[in-house]
Amino acid sequence: MKQEGIYVTTYQGKSILKGIAIGEIFFYQKEEKEIKRYKPENLEAEQKRYEKARDEAIGQLGELYKKACQEVGEVNAAVFEVHAMMLEDDDFNDAVLNMIATQGINAEYAVAMTGDNFSKMFSEMEDEYFKARAADIIDISNRVVAVLGGSGSGNCELNKPVILIAEDLAPSETVQLDKNMLLAFVTEQGSSNSHTAILARSMNIPALIGVPIRKEWNGRMAVVDGYTGTLYLDPDEETLKELKKRKQAEDEERQLLLELKGKEDVTLDGKHIKLYANIGNISDVAAVMKNDAEGIGLFRSEFLYLEKDHFPTEEEQFQAYKTVAEMMAGKKVIIRTLDIGADKQAEYFHLEHEENPAMGYRAIRICLTQPEIFKTQLRALFRASAFGNIAIMYPMIISIEEIHKIKEIVEEVKSELREQGVQFSEVEQGIMIETPAAAVMSDVLAEEVDFFSIGTNDLTQYTLAIDRQNAKLDSFYDAHHPAILRMIQTVIDNGHSKGCWVGICGELGADTELTETFLKMGIDELSVSPTFVLPVRKLIRTSKCSG
């Protein structure tokens, strides 16, 4: 990058969270110790040494689970339960113990070899779930080796605020970092769904992935620009001055937004707007509360399915929905029934390959053709309704017949619960308007439901006939296309004419360029990512619905 005659070294990555961080780089390098092979004098004692180290490692994982539950929520902490289960696995333990006995080798070497063997085996499997377990195996074997070597849990100690850069971070490494000393993350590997990314979002700090890092950057000054996905290394005085100015403005804006906490979401001409937040799992509720959302407008229940290797049981789902409902203490919690399919695949559903999965076997189509899956979820939802203010909405609707079939199944579930003496509440039921068919038929559909929630992401791609995942079509994709805005207006008008309230839960809900437009259209609710609640509240309170 060239600026006023001075070359500024910049590196481009993918931004995980917007924001600016300025500070010294700390290069986090994993401790690599050579594991030597030797022949112990007493093989039986060596096996016992391994078993003791394994038990200590399992204990460490238990402590990490507790710590992670407090910081990133139960769902994200579950990885440590998985690691503990792996260490308790008979196949893994038998392989280590057998190697010590038959090859006459030390425990460290046996664990490392077993870890490599199992990791290689998993990485070569076709099943994506088992492929992902390869990294977990290496993580747990490294933990046991560290315990055997007397190096404990291997914490990374930070003694001042830094921009942490690393090739990647394992879940156990991420959770043990001192969050008060982190200004930003920059990693070479990882994805937007990695544990590093999850932690960055939960802490609301800037983060970049996909940056080609260098060890020699350690101790140098840098700036992370989460708005543009740029890392500035040793920025010159003029660049640093400009970035500091932007950060100061960002800090001032954040402070002003905090003053909006506790304020009502009411326009200048007196209309109250329901300003809700979108979540994917239980841990996100903390961000909902922190950002003062009035409720939850979209709980993506499919994440309960995506995070498991089996169909979540009724009890597992009930506990999740009940927990969120109780935490929200009477505030509205709108839960979307599972939206598996398209870009959200769970191996155990055994969905066949489709040429056009976005328009294929997904969401309500799975629920209506596999009612046993649907009824399990509905039972959990209605049971949880006794513990809070729950509403249910159904995705990918295209016809009145689908709604009639849903209602039949719902009545079956409610009848079964009554017969079993299970308490539940009568809940609001709505549908997502994300197909052009639903938008065009919204006047008829509004007579059958309590509310509409417009899913602008899919509605836009289906209306424009553009795959939103195809980067080659970015220049054609226009979320502000007049056809989309007209369709949204039609849905609002049709919903209101039949006494049905209308909200938006797609990405456009947080598009502050359109907030005032939506208010003038007559929108009743906006559900956005938690971090957008206060910026949208600011616009609601300074706008009018009329005029």
Side-chain angles (χ1 to χ4, degrees):
M1 175 180 176
K2 187 177 181 181
Q3 186 170 349
E4 296 185 4
I6 301 174
Y7 286 93
V8 182
T9 306
T10 64
Y11 296 86
Q12 203 65 32
K14 181 179 180 181
S15 176
I16 296 301
L17 191 74
K18 292 179 179 179
I20 295 174
I22 302 172
E24 185 179 316
I25 286 177
F26 175 80
F27 180 83
Y28 175 66
Q29 185 169 26
K30 301 183 184 185
E31 187 178 2
E32 295 183 8
K33 289 185 178 179
E34 182 182 357
I35 302 174
K36 295 183 179 180
R37 173 174 178 159
Y38 64 86
K39 186 176 179 66
E41 293 182 4
N42 186 326
L43 295 179
E44 187 175 342
E46 193 68 8
Q47 288 178 323
K48 284 186 176 11
R49 191 167 78 92
Y50 161 69
E51 290 173 337
K52 182 180 178 182
R54 177 202 62 200
D55 291 344
E56 185 176 333
I58 291 172
Q60 289 178 4
L61 289 166
E63 291 302 312
L64 282 174
Y65 175 77
K66 292 177 186 176
K67 188 173 189 290
C69 279
Q70 295 175 344
E71 295 181 355
V72 292
E74 287 184 34
V75 174
N76 298 320
V79 64
F80 300 113
E81 287 188 316
V82 173
H83 283 195
M85 288 169 60
M86 286 179 166
L87 278 178
E88 292 167 346
D89 181 71
D90 288 340
D91 291 334
F92 185 86
N93 283 296
D94 289 348
V96 174
L97 294 170
N98 184 64
M99 195 175 288
I100 293 172
T102 59
Q103 297 185 32
I105 58 175
N106 56 305
E108 291 91 339
Y109 198 80
V111 171
M113 288 295 294
T114 301
D116 287 345
N117 291 339
F118 272 66
S119 178
K120 186 172 185 296
M121 176 183 70
F122 279 123
S123 66
E124 292 175 351
M125 289 183 176
E126 291 185 7
D127 188 292
E128 290 301 321
Y129 173 80
F130 287 108
K131 273 187 177 181
R133 301 286 72 77
D136 292 324
I137 287 289
I138 294 299
D139 200 10
I140 64 169
S141 60
N142 286 343
R143 177 172 294 280
V144 177
V145 169
V147 174
L148 285 165
S151 56
S153 57
N155 287 7
C156 169
E157 294 188 8
L158 303 175
N159 52 26
K160 61 182 175 181
V162 294
I163 294 172
L164 188 142
I165 66 171
E167 288 185 10
D168 200 2
L169 289 169
S172 55
E173 294 167 325
T174 306
V175 166
Q176 292 177 87
L177 294 169
D178 183 350
K179 315 307 179 293
N180 295 320
M181 296 297 175
L182 286 172
L183 300 172
F185 283 122
V186 180
T187 63
E188 185 164 341
Q189 300 172 28
S191 70
S192 56
N193 294 313
S194 69
H195 289 276
T196 304
I198 291 168
L199 182 61
R201 284 192 285 265
S202 69
M203 294 170 58
N204 200 31
I205 63 172
L208 306 179
I209 58 173
V211 176
I213 65 169
R214 300 287 182 272
K215 183 178 179 179
E216 55 267 25
W217 294 353
N218 189 57
R220 294 168 69 176
M221 171 61 70
V223 179
V224 172
D225 185 347
Y227 294 96
T228 63
T230 307
L231 172 70
Y232 295 84
L233 188 64
D234 292 328
D236 63 84
E237 187 176 336
E238 191 62 33
T239 302
L240 185 59
K241 181 180 177 181
E242 177 60 30
L243 288 165
K244 281 183 176 179
K245 183 179 177 182
R246 285 179 54 200
K247 177 163 175 52
Q248 183 180 355
E250 177 187 84
D251 291 342
E252 289 173 354
E253 175 67 15
R254 186 179 291 118
Q255 194 59 42
L256 286 172
L257 288 174
L258 289 176
E259 295 177 7
L260 291 173
K261 282 190 175 183
K263 300 290 178 68
E264 290 187 332
D265 301 301
V266 178
T267 63
L268 289 175
D269 48 355
K271 180 175 179 179
H272 175 260
I273 305 297
K274 301 172 184 175
L275 183 53
Y276 295 164
N278 301 332
I279 68 168
N281 52 49
I282 297 172
S283 66
D284 292 339
V285 177
V288 175
M289 294 176 172
K290 180 181 178 182
N291 290 280
D292 197 36
E294 189 178 334
I296 292 172
L298 171 61
F299 181 171
R300 300 180 178 93
S301 70
E302 59 270 16
F303 282 90
L304 296 176
Y305 295 76
L306 294 171
E307 291 162 348
K308 293 186 178 295
D309 61 352
H310 63 273
F311 289 103
T313 65
E314 178 184 326
E315 191 61 29
E316 287 173 330
Q317 294 189 62
F318 165 67
Q319 291 297 336
Y321 306 143
K322 173 177 176 283
T323 298
V324 173
E326 288 178 331
M327 291 172 73
M328 291 303 293
K331 293 181 178 179
K332 180 78 74 179
V333 177
I334 302 175
I335 302 174
R336 177 174 71 189
T337 56
L338 72 93
D339 189 10
I340 292 292
D343 58 332
K344 291 172 282 193
Q345 296 286 329
E347 290 294 323
Y348 58 89
F349 272 78
H350 302 298
L351 301 179
E352 296 180 4
H353 173 74
E354 296 178 299
E355 292 299 324
N356 196 343
M359 295 186 178
Y361 187 55
R362 59 175 291 199
I364 202 65
R365 298 165 186 177
I366 293 176
C367 291
L368 293 180
T369 54
Q370 299 189 57
E372 66 282 0
I373 297 174
F374 194 28
K375 289 179 73 173
T376 297
Q377 182 171 34
L378 288 173
R379 282 181 59 89
L381 286 166
F382 275 98
R383 284 174 60 195
S385 70
F387 297 88
N389 187 5
I390 283 178
I392 304 172
M393 69 177 175
Y394 309 101
M396 282 296 291
I397 298 297
I398 63 169
S399 70
I400 195 77
E401 289 76 21
E402 289 172 335
I403 296 179
H404 289 162
K405 195 168 182 181
I406 289 168
K407 286 186 172 182
E408 288 177 13
I409 296 173
V410 166
E411 287 306 314
E412 288 177 21
V413 167
K414 289 161 69 174
S415 179
E416 290 173 4
L417 292 174
R418 287 191 195 100
E419 289 175 8
Q420 295 164 7
V422 177
Q423 289 189 331
F424 63 89
S425 300
E426 292 299 332
V427 304
E428 277 193 320
Q429 296 182 72
I431 61 171
M432 291 194 67
I433 303 291
E434 50 192 335
T435 66
V440 171
M441 295 291 293
S442 56
D443 58 333
V444 178
L445 299 178
E447 296 178 341
E448 300 287 335
V449 297
D450 298 306
F451 66 92
F452 290 150
S453 188
I454 303 172
T456 55
N457 302 348
D458 274 332
L459 184 62
T460 302
Q461 76 165 342
Y462 293 143
T463 302
L464 301 183
I466 290 178
D467 180 359
R468 60 190 172 96
Q469 312 256 7
N470 189 336
K472 293 181 180 178
L473 300 177
D474 282 352
S475 61
F476 296 94
Y477 188 89
D478 179 11
H480 293 201
H481 195 289
I484 306 301
L485 299 180
R486 284 190 182 188
M487 202 165 282
I488 291 172
Q489 183 69 73
T490 297
V491 172
I492 293 171
D493 292 343
N494 285 339
H496 287 173
S497 70
K498 302 297 170 61
C500 178
W501 66 262
V502 184
I504 295 175
C505 65
E507 291 296 315
L508 281 189
D511 189 334
T512 51
E513 292 181 22
L514 289 176
T515 302
E516 191 170 357
T517 299
F518 292 146
L519 295 176
K520 291 186 185 313
M521 285 181 174
I523 201 72
D524 302 298
E525 177 243 27
L526 293 170
S527 190
V528 301
S529 296
T531 53
F532 281 98
V533 169
L534 294 178
V536 173
R537 174 171 295 165
K538 178 183 177 182
L539 287 171
I540 289 173
R541 291 176 58 85
T542 55
S543 301
K544 289 184 177 181
C545 292
S546 57

